[in-house]
Amino acid sequence: MRSIHLIGLLFFALTIQAQNTLSPNAKIQVHFELNPSNGAASYSVNYNNQPIVKSSHLGILLKNIPALNDGFTLVSQDTKSVDEPWNPVMGEQTTIQNKYNQVTYSLLQKATNRSLNIVFKIYNEGVAFRYEFPRQKDLNYFIISDEKTEFNLTADHKTFWIPGDFDSQEYAYNETKLSQVNTETIDKNNGIGVKSIAGKYTIQSPLMMKSSDGIYINIFEAAVVNYPVMHLDLVPNEFKLTSHLVPNAIGDKAYLQAPAVSPWRTIMISNDARDIVSSKMILNLNEPCKLTDVSYIKPMKYVGVWWEMHVGKATWDYAGSQNAQNAADGQLKPTGKHGATTQNTKRYIDFAAKNGFDGVLVEGWNVGWEDWFGNWKENVFDFTTPYPDFNLKEVNDYAKSKGIKMIMHHETSGSVANYERHLDRAFNLMKDYGYPAVKSGYVGRIIPRGEFHDGQTMVNHYNFVAQRAADYKLMINSHESSRPTGYSRTYPNYIAAEAARGNEFNGWSVGNPPMHETILPFTRLLGGPMDYTPGIFEIKMSYYDPSKTEQVHTTLAKQLALYVTMYSPLQMAADLPENYERYPDAFQFIKDVAVDWQDSKYLEAEPGDYLTIVRKAKNSEKWFLGAITDENARQSEIKLDFLTPNKKYKAIIYQDGAKADWKNNPINYDIKTIQVTSKSKIKLNLASGGGTAISFEPIN
């Protein structure tokens, strides 16, 4: 019987070489094939019978042992269909539908007798696939030296891209054809833009594209766990992208022990840009929540001692960098510009309490800022020792008396080993003083030396911090980390991250171009909430120093709209309290807008150009709308059919004024109140670099 069974398996493997699988709506088709001559695995993707990804190779290179790259036979094929709802702890909607068709190809490499599974999940909005390494005698502990995943595109698409940098995503996006991608023109530092021997350019995912016939394509990844981040190598003339895994200090990519899996490689496809920006595919591809207690995970709107340092009004350090040696010797001499003082923090606490905010962030509270940046020092911060002018207990007691939660700040200066050594003591301090959340930072080169922000070691670190924080019932907001890939579904206490070029760059650099915020929802935000720190009202930095030419590339009305278009359950009103007090009528929208949502609808979308989103607050009948544009002024008309029928609403419209312009007249805005119903329409008039924010409140 056994010999007959083996003969049957061999016959099955030899005869079944190619298979097709459809999405639930049958618009997307995935074709999987084993090359009959060499047993190499490949796939292709069609959308509405149109090629999107041509035949593309799949495979894994292993260190010191034969690659899982060819010589395969198909042993078995398993299919299933899934349609299951789940409820995020916080999110853009209360229920997310996880609907897909799945096929698993179990492969056997005859020469080595090793097994490899390739799993595809086909959603209505795209395709996901990953490698699975079953437990087996000849493949237990192994090292991945490369991943040979290809995305062989069909044409010279319009592309929104940033250069490959294993330590940062903090770049403004380039909008070019694929053939015009040339990272050599961007940045020569740290290996960025260095053309490889093979003539390829390394760019980052998620990569947003649009074909000449209006098909939107996005290449990304999901559930990056115990694995490095995937960048993409491009051969422009061939329009071929290949995976580029971030190496560790000695050049290895990933250390795995079977059973193990790779992250999901994702390809979103639609002829409607709204399907891309609204997709929850990345979240769906992550494991369900592993926490039994999520009661402490709550949305927060906060202010903080932060922007005043970026605009030069205050400093993070207490003694000043010129006194770094004295600081190292414990001889701290205040400069008088330190921002994180007890009295200044109380001022922010008062402002938060008066205006209905949940929390206050304080950066620069702990010893070490005099000599923290760029020195690659092992031990800079201990995360428990405050400066002499910051009284932890006094601040905590005062905040508690006002009903305000304090948000902790942990800047690691890239010294991750030092942070992990202090982590439990730091979290214990937070618990002692009632801090519910921490903003962590990873500025600078990584210690252990030679590791990258996007390597396997650091991915494991970010995830470990979220897991350890959950043990203490704390929330994490990471900055300068690798970009999220949906892990907030599994650990929803990982409430937000930066991991892109945020609003802070507008304070002291060339800034973010007006189109920047219209691209991020199609790229960075697909993987999880972003702490973009919106709400800057004093647009031009010359307000603080007449010699400064920097400014936020936006109108004031657009800063309001970002609270809706840039999703995060942790939102900062980033400007100084005194600036909000100068514009109390506009500030009212920031006070009113929700940060956790029951439903979201994407009314208009075009990457790099414009975006209009309306969201319904959780446990409320209030709706909030945000509309933004790039450097081009824009007019449109929207239907209000998302409102409850037969109900009247008060609509408060915060819009660009008639003379508004992001560069020349950014603080020109109008506010008007009208009565509307679900049958009403509203005309939007967005200035150059502008936006509109609207709150809809039912009339009793």
Side-chain angles (χ1 to χ4, degrees):
M1 290 294 294
R2 184 179 179 187
S3 61
I4 295 174
H5 179 68
L6 288 174
I7 292 171
L9 281 178
L10 287 172
F11 177 78
F12 184 79
L14 290 171
T15 57
I16 298 181
Q17 295 292 335
Q19 297 291 321
N20 294 325
T21 307
L22 297 175
S23 60
N25 64 6
K27 290 185 176 182
I28 297 176
Q29 180 191 70
V30 174
H31 177 82
F32 177 82
E33 185 174 13
L34 292 181
N35 187 310
S37 62
N38 65 2
S42 64
Y43 76 102
S44 60
V45 180
N46 286 358
Y47 175 74
N48 285 336
N49 297 317
Q50 177 180 342
I52 300 298
V53 178
K54 298 185 295 184
S55 182
S56 300
H57 190 61
L58 299 167
I60 298 287
L61 300 186
L62 304 174
K63 186 175 183 179
N64 299 328
I65 58 176
L68 290 168
N69 202 38
D70 54 21
F72 292 119
T73 58
L74 180 62
V75 175
S76 66
Q77 172 186 330
D78 296 314
T79 62
K80 68 176 181 179
S81 295
V82 173
D83 188 359
E84 58 184 9
W86 60 280
N87 302 317
V89 176
M90 297 177 294
E92 298 176 82
Q93 56 206 62
T94 53
T95 301
I96 295 175
Q97 202 68 26
N98 192 17
K99 184 177 182 179
Y100 59 90
N101 293 330
Q102 177 175 312
V103 56
T104 300
Y105 299 103
S106 297
L107 308 178
L108 178 68
Q109 191 177 51
K110 292 182 292 183
T112 64
N113 200 36
R114 293 196 179 102
S115 298
L116 176 71
N117 298 335
I118 301 178
V119 184
F120 286 86
K121 290 185 178 182
I122 301 92
Y123 293 79
N124 287 339
E125 68 264 43
V127 176
F129 59 89
R130 75 177 181 186
Y131 304 97
E132 294 184 349
F133 307 92
R135 187 185 301 276
Q136 52 198 294
K137 180 179 179 181
D138 293 328
L139 194 68
N140 183 17
Y141 174 80
F142 56 100
I143 301 172
I144 291 181
S145 58
D146 216 340
E147 185 179 308
K148 303 304 290 183
T149 304
E150 294 180 350
F151 306 88
N152 195 6
L153 303 173
T154 60
D156 196 9
H157 303 320
K158 180 168 74 172
T159 304
F160 300 90
W161 61 275
I162 56 177
D165 182 343
F166 301 159
D167 279 319
S168 178
Q169 311 85 20
E170 295 181 329
Y171 291 89
Y173 280 86
N174 303 278
E175 179 181 342
T176 71
K177 292 284 191 178
L178 273 169
S179 60
Q180 296 169 330
V181 170
N182 183 348
T183 53
E184 288 182 337
T185 66
I186 304 301
D187 191 344
K188 296 288 186 180
N189 298 322
N190 300 319
I192 306 166
V194 176
K195 196 171 185 178
S196 72
I197 296 174
K200 300 176 182 178
Y201 296 102
T202 302
I203 53 181
Q204 298 197 39
S205 75
L207 184 65
M208 187 68 209
M209 295 172 285
K210 183 181 181 181
S211 69
S212 59
D213 53 355
I215 304 299
Y216 299 89
I217 306 164
N218 184 288
I219 296 177
F220 193 22
E221 60 181 335
V224 179
V225 178
N226 192 32
Y227 212 84
V229 167
M230 179 185 72
H231 292 234
L232 298 166
D233 283 342
L234 170 66
V235 182
N237 294 331
E238 299 179 18
F239 313 131
K240 179 188 290 186
L241 298 161
T242 58
S243 59
H244 186 134
L245 302 182
V246 175
N248 65 9
I250 61 173
D252 295 332
K253 305 300 176 64
Y255 302 114
L256 300 179
Q257 184 171 359
V261 298
S262 75
W264 295 95
R265 280 62 186 96
T266 64
I267 309 165
M268 297 182 192
I269 313 162
S270 180
N271 57 7
D272 189 336
R274 295 175 298 176
D275 293 337
I276 305 294
V277 75
S278 66
S279 174
K280 298 297 173 284
M281 193 170 90
I282 301 301
L283 282 173
N284 278 330
L285 289 164
N286 281 263
E287 292 186 27
C289 178
K290 291 188 175 183
L291 305 180
T292 55
D293 180 10
V294 296
S295 61
Y296 64 94
I297 304 173
K298 297 178 180 179
M300 295 184 73
K301 198 186 301 181
Y302 71 103
V303 296
V305 182
W306 178 77
W307 187 244
E308 61 184 78
M309 282 86 94
H310 285 286
V311 300
K313 182 181 177 182
T315 63
W316 282 271
D317 55 271
Y318 170 83
S321 58
Q322 71 275 15
N323 294 321
Q325 183 57 51
N326 290 335
D329 295 337
Q331 301 173 12
L332 297 172
K333 298 178 181 179
T335 63
K337 290 190 67 177
H338 186 217
T341 68
T342 299
Q343 292 307 312
N344 194 34
T345 303
K346 286 183 176 181
R347 182 171 71 92
Y348 279 84
I349 291 170
D350 288 339
F351 180 80
K354 177 183 176 182
N355 292 287
F357 285 80
D358 303 297
V360 172
L361 165 76
V362 181
E363 294 197 11
W365 68 275
N366 56 328
V367 170
W369 288 89
E370 283 75 22
D371 196 26
W372 73 283
F373 180 70
N375 291 317
W376 222 8
K377 294 178 66 175
E378 183 79 24
N379 300 308
V380 179
F381 302 107
D382 65 11
F383 313 101
T384 58
T385 305
Y387 278 121
D389 59 351
F390 187 79
N391 189 311
L392 270 169
K393 185 177 187 309
E394 184 177 343
V395 166
N396 177 71
D397 291 345
Y398 190 76
K400 188 175 181 180
S401 72
K402 298 284 186 174
I404 297 299
K405 296 288 188 180
M406 298 301 298
I407 299 175
M408 181 58 74
H409 182 240
H410 291 162
E411 176 53 62
T412 69
S413 65
S415 185
V416 179
N418 178 57
Y419 189 39
E420 291 186 358
R421 285 194 294 269
H422 288 88
L423 194 61
D424 285 288
R425 278 169 284 182
F427 284 171
N428 273 318
L429 182 75
M430 289 178 61
K431 294 300 290 184
D432 289 344
Y433 287 100
Y435 285 75
V438 57
K439 174 183 175 180
S440 59
Y442 295 91
V443 175
R445 291 177 293 175
I446 296 299
I447 302 173
R449 289 165 175 79
E451 298 294 336
F452 294 107
H453 285 72
D454 286 353
Q456 182 187 29
T457 295
M458 286 304 298
V459 167
N460 288 346
H461 166 80
Y462 306 131
N463 292 345
F464 166 72
V465 171
Q467 295 166 21
R468 197 73 183 108
D471 295 336
Y472 287 84
K473 293 181 169 50
L474 300 172
M475 296 185 291
I476 296 292
N477 167 28
S478 64
H479 280 230
E480 297 88 30
S481 60
S482 60
R483 75 281 191 282
T485 57
Y487 198 63
S488 57
R489 179 187 181 186
T490 310
Y491 281 88
N493 67 312
Y494 203 160
I495 186 173
E498 182 192 39
R501 191 176 176 95
N503 219 1
E504 65 194 57
F505 278 81
N506 291 305
W508 36 260
S509 75
V510 295
N512 304 332
M515 74 172 183
H516 187 63
E517 294 91 353
T518 70
I519 300 171
L520 287 172
F522 290 91
T523 52
R524 160 64 185 83
L525 277 113
L526 293 176
M530 181 178 180
D531 187 25
Y532 188 72
T533 59
I536 303 301
F537 278 16
E538 191 47 66
I539 306 293
K540 293 182 179 290
M541 299 305 106
S542 57
Y543 176 80
Y544 306 100
D545 181 347
S547 68
K548 289 187 174 182
T549 59
E550 295 87 356
Q551 72 166 94
V552 188
H553 295 188
T554 174
T555 64
L556 187 148
K558 184 177 183 180
Q559 287 293 302
L560 300 180
L562 294 178
Y563 285 92
V564 181
T565 63
M566 304 284 286
Y567 167 67
S568 178
L570 181 74
Q571 285 282 25
M572 185 180 195
D575 211 334
L576 310 183
E578 53 266 36
N579 289 339
Y580 291 131
E581 290 169 346
R582 292 166 54 218
Y583 305 101
D585 53 351
F587 183 53
Q588 188 62 46
F589 182 82
I590 299 179
K591 293 166 62 175
D592 292 341
V593 68
V595 291
D596 194 20
W597 306 102
Q598 178 178 330
D599 195 13
S600 297
K601 297 183 183 299
Y602 299 79
L603 307 183
E604 305 172 298
E606 182 65 29
D609 290 340
Y610 57 84
L611 183 65
T612 302
I613 303 175
V614 64
R615 306 188 194 272
K616 187 178 185 181
K618 190 173 285 187
N619 303 318
S620 172
E621 287 299 314
K622 295 180 180 180
W623 290 80
F624 296 88
L625 180 144
I628 61 173
T629 186
D630 60 359
E631 69 279 3
N632 298 305
R634 184 172 183 274
Q635 293 182 334
S636 69
E637 184 176 72
I638 59 167
K639 298 178 181 179
L640 304 187
D641 52 5
F642 52 84
L643 297 175
T644 303
N646 304 316
K647 191 181 273 289
K648 295 179 180 179
Y649 290 80
K650 178 178 69 172
I652 306 175
I653 304 171
Y654 303 78
Q655 62 186 6
D656 294 316
K659 298 181 180 180
D661 177 88
W662 73 267
K663 189 173 185 179
N664 300 314
N665 197 9
I667 310 181
N668 180 234
Y669 64 90
D670 292 327
I671 302 174
K672 64 179 181 179
T673 301
I674 61 175
Q675 184 173 297
V676 298
T677 70
S678 62
K679 296 181 180 180
S680 302
K681 298 178 181 179
I682 290 181
K683 291 184 178 181
L684 302 178
N685 294 288
L686 281 62
S688 171
T692 298
I694 307 176
S695 63
F696 299 92
E697 182 177 347
I699 299 174
N700 295 329

